[in-house]
Amino acid sequence: MLDIQFIRDHADEVADKSRQKGYEVDIPRLLELDAERRTRLTQIDVLRKRRNDQAAEFKSQKPSPEQIESGRQLKQELGEREDELARIEADYIQLLKKVPNMPTDDVPVGTSEDENVEVKVWGDKPQFDFEPKSHWEIGEANDWIDKGRAAKVTGARFAYLKGSLVQLQFAIIQFVLDTLTDQELVQKIIDENGLHLLAKAFTPILPPVMIREDVYDQMDRLEPREDRYHIDGDDDNLWLIGSAEHTLGSMYADEILPEADLPLRYIGYSTSFRQEAGTYGKDNEGILRMHQFDKLEMEVFSTPETGLDEHKLLIAVQEYLMQQLGIPYHILLKCTADIGKPNARGVDVEAWLPGQGKYRETHTADYMTDYQARRLKTRVKRGDGTIDLVHTNDATAVALGRVMIGIIENNQTTDGHVRVPDALQKYLGGKTEI
RNA sequence: GGAAGGGUGUCCGAGUGGUCGAAGGAAACGGUCUUGAAAACCGUCGUGCCGGCAACGGUACCGUGGGUUCGAAUCCCACCCCUUCCGCCA
């Protein structure tokens, strides 16, 4: 949610930028409701003061029947006014929640993901003296991926992963955890990128994979619901998370953190669940688009001043990991239409997939400024005693399925095996090929 | 699932109808003392909203929502969450 004071002060800008992000919000109507709400609130405060004064008077001397009657009338009027205000406020909040976060100045304006801007290309695309295969061809040949039996048991977009592919997944997990918990390495990445940040390692964390509806909504990630899985229960209102971000970013809701504790950097591991609504027929082969996939996710809580640098740190970590794994990639600065409602800035890393002959998204980095924190009420108490909303950042460290596709397709050998990236060999018992 | 207890400020914790935005303690911040530090002592010390240039004033908030009352942290109802014991169980 955006700060109403900011909207009052920058009404035109908010309307413009909301439109650029693809959200049509009636800002004049919102301001009208805001003004109405404030007028009513002032009137109600006057009535409340009268009630409080009266009550203070009655406590010292017994009220007469007439005084009790006037108090009763006051209560009734107050009740009516408060009901009116509640109705106005409900409309006001509903509209306020629709206003998206404002993009930072360097976010390109665009109307679809086609207008994302390529800002960097890394790595040489591998040259093969044979026709490169897709990951599903290699996966099936090696008995690593069984979608047929998964379809029987759970339906489309599920898979059994087997054998060496599973060991590869655990090797990547261990590699990433070792990397991000290494404070010296984090320091090195910060220094190399000229960031002004504390060298603090990431804390590994296993979050819940279910989330309460109210918290999901506060994170501003409940919509579109068609892409979420709801869990039916007698008295639970739980959803399956679509990303570890959902339960990581909300963990400090309603808390005021001491500034000395920041930044809080987490590396979470969890399964993610997505209905993939509206993707019928898209990416049906292989394991690129699944209803269920595992992911290592970074989440950072920071002061407002360091939020943007933390965002850049997360992108730098993504690059470091891809380079260590030797997967060619490029980076897209996402345009206004593609960054997402709570985002101020967003970047995608896309891996080169020789089997498909194109780049496909493997990572995303989202900078939310204080937009999520405002509704979650996650705040920081500064050294001088003032209270501010924290800034939140989340970013993929590794989406296991998609990164494994990158490894399989880029490192495939003539005889249909896969070369293990140097960085992972020690986690696979020294194996150089699977 | 059964039984009991409980949710109060950054934290711990008192408070069963008006004198309570809330005792006391801790932490934090400022100061005195000290060569310095610790200790001791003094002081400051919740958040949101509305109005105001500001000092400040008003109002709301004691898990959430409703109710009773002239008046609710305190009484009633519902819900959420936590703890303990029993049952079941990876």
Side-chain angles (χ1 to χ4, degrees):
Chain A
M1 194 167 76
L2 223 51
D3 180 16
I4 185 64
Q5 186 62 52
F6 179 85
I7 300 175
R8 280 181 213 139
D9 296 342
H10 306 84
D12 292 341
E13 183 190 339
V14 171
D16 285 348
K17 291 191 168 175
S18 298
R19 208 171 300 120
Q20 286 172 2
K21 288 186 77 170
Y23 293 86
E24 205 56 58
V25 191
D26 193 343
I27 300 295
R29 175 69 185 144
L30 175 61
L31 293 177
E32 209 175 277
L33 284 168
D34 173 46
E36 181 69 12
R37 164 185 150 264
R38 284 190 288 161
T39 308
R40 304 270 182 146
L41 199 54
T42 306
Q43 292 167 353
I44 284 171
D45 278 355
V46 170
L47 290 177
R48 281 174 175 161
K49 175 163 171 50
R50 204 185 299 160
R51 180 199 58 192
N52 290 344
D53 287 347
Q54 203 176 53
E57 195 185 319
F58 292 172
K59 81 191 170 202
S60 47
Q61 55 182 66
K62 275 270 185 273
S64 67
E66 295 78 43
Q67 285 174 317
I68 287 180
E69 180 50 31
S70 92
R72 210 170 264 146
Q73 281 174 11
L74 184 58
K75 185 174 70 167
Q76 201 194 335
E77 188 183 354
L78 191 52
E80 286 167 10
R81 296 293 183 89
E82 283 174 337
D83 286 348
E84 288 166 14
L85 178 67
R87 279 195 291 275
I88 292 165
E89 233 155 23
D91 290 347
Y92 161 79
I93 287 289
Q94 198 190 9
L95 200 50
L96 181 57
K97 277 160 66 175
K98 286 186 179 163
V99 183
N101 200 1
M102 297 291 101
T104 56
D105 291 337
D106 63 341
V107 173
V109 177
T111 54
S112 83
E113 62 178 10
D114 298 335
E115 289 170 78
N116 293 342
V117 176
E118 182 182 75
V119 290
K120 181 171 179 178
V121 182
W122 183 90
D124 298 321
K125 295 174 184 171
Q127 301 300 316
F128 300 97
D129 49 15
F130 57 93
E131 186 64 30
K133 296 192 181 84
S134 65
H135 74 274
W136 60 88
E137 291 171 300
I138 299 167
E140 277 172 31
N142 287 295
D143 197 22
W144 290 340
I145 298 171
D146 184 347
K147 288 184 73 184
R149 291 197 174 86
K152 190 169 61 182
V153 175
T154 37
R157 295 206 194 284
F158 286 95
Y160 288 97
L161 301 189
K162 298 162 70 183
S164 299
L165 192 60
V166 174
Q167 291 178 300
L168 180 65
Q169 166 152 336
F170 282 96
I172 295 169
I173 293 167
Q174 200 53 53
F175 161 66
V176 171
L177 290 181
D178 281 359
T179 303
L180 294 198
T181 54
D182 182 342
Q183 187 174 329
E184 282 177 32
L185 193 58
V186 172
Q187 169 91 67
K188 192 174 144 232
I189 295 173
I190 288 170
D191 292 344
E192 281 174 0
N193 287 276
L195 302 172
H196 301 287
L197 295 172
L198 242 57
K200 195 173 168 187
F202 289 73
T203 303
I205 184 164
L206 293 173
V209 296
M210 300 182 198
I211 185 167
R212 295 167 52 148
E213 180 166 311
D214 53 340
V215 179
Y216 218 168
D217 187 44
Q218 284 168 5
M219 280 292 285
D220 219 309
R221 297 290 193 197
L222 178 58
E223 305 295 341
R225 296 173 189 232
E226 310 84 72
D227 199 40
R228 305 289 179 227
Y229 284 101
H230 182 257
I231 299 172
D232 289 323
D234 288 337
D235 45 21
D236 292 329
N237 209 352
L238 288 174
W239 297 73
L240 287 175
I241 57 171
S243 164
E245 180 216 357
H246 304 160
T247 39
L248 290 176
S250 50
M251 66 185 290
Y252 291 106
D254 290 314
E255 293 192 43
I256 298 176
L257 305 164
E259 185 169 9
D261 288 0
L262 300 184
L264 287 165
R265 297 192 183 123
Y266 287 106
I267 173 66
Y269 175 77
S270 90
T271 302
S272 298
F273 303 91
R274 299 186 184 177
Q275 296 219 34
E276 294 295 345
T279 61
Y280 308 107
K282 239 180 170 176
D283 304 318
N284 278 336
E285 299 192 271
I287 56 167
L288 189 85
R289 195 176 296 281
M290 300 271 95
H291 285 313
Q292 172 193 325
F293 61 96
D294 301 322
K295 194 154 62 79
L296 285 147
E297 185 88 355
M298 301 177 278
E299 177 79 29
V300 176
F301 302 88
S302 73
T303 59
E305 306 84 66
T306 56
L308 185 59
D309 269 9
E310 291 287 349
H311 175 61
K312 291 176 178 169
L313 169 64
L314 298 187
I315 297 165
V317 169
Q318 294 175 330
E319 288 201 62
Y320 176 85
L321 293 172
M322 285 297 265
Q323 290 172 12
Q324 289 295 304
L325 296 173
I327 303 172
Y329 64 88
H330 72 172
I331 296 183
L332 300 178
L333 184 55
K334 294 202 274 187
C335 75
T336 49
D338 200 34
I339 51 175
K341 184 167 168 253
N343 288 50
R345 192 176 194 272
V347 157
D348 277 350
V349 174
E350 296 189 332
W352 173 252
L353 302 184
Q356 300 191 29
K358 48 183 152 173
Y359 285 104
R360 295 303 304 257
E361 177 185 333
T362 51
H363 301 65
T364 186
D366 298 318
Y367 177 35
M368 262 67 65
T369 61
D370 59 9
Y371 191 89
Q372 285 179 325
R374 181 164 289 107
R375 282 184 66 202
L376 291 165
K377 298 197 184 73
T378 302
R379 290 162 291 174
V380 51
K381 184 164 195 170
R382 320 303 292 255
D384 65 2
T386 58
I387 306 267
D388 286 311
L389 293 166
V390 301
H391 277 207
T392 53
N393 263 290
D394 90 280
T396 321
V398 167
L400 275 314
R402 291 193 174 184
V403 160
M404 290 195 293
I405 292 173
I407 292 172
I408 292 170
E409 294 196 6
N410 281 284
N411 295 7
Q412 57 184 293
T413 60
T414 322
D415 58 356
H417 288 90
V418 173
R419 218 178 54 254
V420 177
D422 294 350
L424 296 181
Q425 287 175 9
K426 70 166 174 172
Y427 299 106
L428 278 166
K431 258 186 248 171
T432 57
E433 193 177 295
I434 53 173

